[in-house]
Amino acid sequence: MKPSIASRLEQLSRRHVEVGDLIASENATANMDQYRKLTREYSDLTPVVERFLEFRRAEQDIAEAEAMLSDPEMKAYAEAEIKAGKERTAALELDLQKLLLPRDPNDDRNIFLEIRAGTGGDESALFAGDLFRMYTRFAEKQRWQVEVMSESPGEMGGYKEIIARLVGNGAYSKLKFESGGHRVQRVPATETQGRIHTSACTVAILPEADEVAEVVLNPAELRIDTFRASGAGGQHVNKTDSAIRITHLPTGIVVECQDDRSQHRNKARAMSVLAARIKDQQEREMHSKEAATRKSLIGSGDRSERIRTYNFPQGRITDHRINLTLYKIAAVMDGDLDELTSSLAAEHQAEQLAAIGENAN
């Protein structure tokens, strides 16, 4: 184990004992906020410290076995114990490195899913509808809640744009690598010659801000317009100015919400989407320098970056960032995204481990 990692683990072990003593003290619950913070820290540290103790015990077992090598009768046994011990310490060291990886603070958040049709006209809008169904089916399998915030239907079906809120534990951690350009290759239903067309959509996954207050929104920097909702919706549509358009003047970000009959609820939804978009932009700017010096294997998350191709005639899906090709397009389009999402997460973790190795050298 590298000395820098061992030193960090020793430091965490000492902190684990310190926090345990604080929790056990007589006046620990005098400040409940502080008590909850300490119990959460103790819970986070426990698996790391327990694994480190296992690592130290395995090292001690190897040392004891090495001491038996000089005894001819025990040599074979000792060599077997040393081999098993080294395999054990190697596995434990990898586990510890993974436990030490920085955790994305957004991983447990709900998300806003935004899908926009790109090149390809009507076929692109239809594909946007297919992508929305894919993510909705995936969300259902995760037992997440899906709430459509805003939609602009395509003329032949699908969507020119759709924004939905996905509510569920770990939603961002599961889908955060879906941001980018999604390309489809297939024969459109309107194609009489049987020619394959290529069209594209962009997907954005935005972590929901805890509260709008998390993002500073100065009312003087917002232009709020009301207008009558358009499209299908029954007898109440177009009778009142219930639709809301909010423009954030400093960034030019525009959000519209018109799916609810209530102007108040549409405004609240629009503000939450606006906060998420501004938060996303702020985080991108903050990480831009880091991304420039070390481009992630998973990609920059740039909306214009083509991340995946869906080839229907060949029944395959290819994720270009990790060179993964799956021949199960029907299952994936029906929400079976586990193999894709887990492979992307594993690649990201491998890259983080490589970065730790580089920094430790």
Side-chain angles (χ1 to χ4, degrees):
M1 179 180 287
K2 291 183 173 68
S4 58
I5 294 176
S7 174
R8 173 72 176 143
L9 289 165
E10 294 285 3
Q11 180 186 349
L12 293 176
S13 297
R14 290 192 295 272
R15 177 61 182 166
H16 186 252
V17 173
E18 181 185 338
V19 174
D21 290 342
L22 288 170
I23 292 171
S25 64
E26 288 183 16
N27 60 346
T29 56
N31 183 337
M32 284 307 296
D33 284 342
Q34 179 68 8
Y35 180 73
R36 278 191 288 270
K37 189 185 291 184
L38 287 170
T39 53
R40 191 161 55 244
E41 183 182 358
Y42 189 82
S43 176
D44 290 342
L45 286 171
T46 297
V48 183
V49 172
E50 287 179 348
R51 199 57 55 91
F52 186 46
L53 287 173
E54 285 183 57
F55 179 83
R56 286 300 191 212
R57 281 196 293 269
E59 281 190 323
Q60 183 62 33
D61 291 342
I62 291 172
E64 290 174 1
E66 286 174 341
M68 292 188 285
L69 286 171
S70 56
D71 185 341
E73 293 183 4
M74 299 296 291
K75 187 176 180 181
Y77 170 78
E79 287 174 344
E81 285 292 293
I82 291 168
K83 182 183 177 185
K86 287 183 175 178
E87 289 173 357
R88 177 71 176 146
T89 54
L92 286 167
E93 185 173 351
L94 183 60
D95 285 349
L96 284 164
Q97 287 180 4
K98 289 177 181 178
L99 287 168
L100 287 176
L101 290 177
R103 190 172 178 276
D104 189 330
N106 292 323
D107 272 353
D108 292 333
R109 292 179 187 258
N110 302 325
I111 61 172
F112 289 108
L113 163 68
E114 301 185 354
I115 304 174
R116 290 181 180 82
T119 55
D122 291 334
E123 172 63 12
S124 178
L126 290 169
F127 182 49
D130 293 338
L131 286 176
F132 181 64
R133 180 184 180 277
M134 177 183 81
Y135 291 122
T136 301
R137 295 285 292 129
F138 178 73
E140 288 170 357
K141 291 174 182 179
Q142 308 297 315
R143 301 185 185 280
W144 297 344
Q145 182 182 337
V146 179
E147 176 187 356
V148 174
M149 307 289 287
S150 174
E151 60 183 299
S152 175
E155 292 173 12
M156 303 286 289
Y159 303 100
K160 295 175 184 174
E161 176 186 280
I162 183 161
I163 302 171
R165 179 172 177 253
L166 273 56
V167 180
N169 188 36
Y172 185 73
S173 67
K174 289 275 179 70
L175 291 178
K176 62 182 173 182
F177 298 124
E178 293 300 300
S179 289
H182 294 242
R183 184 176 69 171
V184 63
Q185 295 171 326
R186 64 184 175 187
V187 179
T190 54
E191 170 59 61
T192 57
Q193 304 293 321
R195 291 173 299 189
I196 295 172
H197 287 227
T198 298
S199 56
C201 293
T202 56
V203 172
I205 302 294
L206 310 178
E208 183 180 40
D210 283 339
E211 298 173 5
V212 171
E214 191 178 16
V215 175
V216 178
L217 292 174
N218 183 348
E221 296 177 343
L222 301 177
R223 187 175 73 232
I224 301 177
D225 301 308
T226 59
F227 59 99
R228 292 188 179 181
S230 60
Q235 59 183 334
H236 295 279
V237 169
N238 292 329
K239 290 190 177 180
T240 59
D241 291 347
S242 61
I244 291 286
R245 180 188 298 113
I246 303 178
T247 305
H248 186 242
L249 300 174
T251 60
I253 295 172
V254 179
V255 176
E256 288 185 6
C257 274
Q258 57 175 307
D259 277 33
D260 203 291
R261 293 175 187 169
S262 162
Q263 185 185 107
H264 178 73
R265 283 194 291 270
N266 279 330
K267 183 179 177 182
R269 287 177 165 191
M271 288 291 278
S272 63
V273 173
L274 178 63
R277 285 193 190 171
I278 293 173
K279 174 182 167 64
D280 178 63
Q281 187 178 82
Q282 289 171 346
E283 290 186 350
R284 285 176 184 282
E285 288 171 357
M286 187 172 66
H287 295 308
S288 61
K289 289 182 181 178
E290 181 185 333
T293 54
R294 180 181 179 85
K295 191 179 186 305
S296 170
L297 292 175
I298 304 304
S300 64
D302 188 336
R303 312 287 187 257
S304 63
E305 179 184 21
R306 190 191 72 198
I307 63 167
R308 193 175 297 148
T309 296
Y310 303 71
N311 187 303
F312 278 80
Q314 296 179 18
R316 66 173 167 81
I317 287 183
T318 300
D319 196 292
H320 305 289
R321 297 163 293 177
I322 55 175
N323 294 321
L324 174 67
T325 297
L326 303 175
Y327 288 90
K328 55 175 193 177
I329 198 164
V332 170
M333 297 311 293
D334 197 39
D336 184 6
L337 296 175
D338 289 323
E339 192 170 352
L340 278 166
T341 57
S342 60
S343 296
L344 287 160
E347 191 78 9
H348 180 59
Q349 190 177 71
E351 188 201 22
Q352 286 181 303
L353 288 170
I356 286 178
E358 287 176 13
N359 293 334
N361 288 334

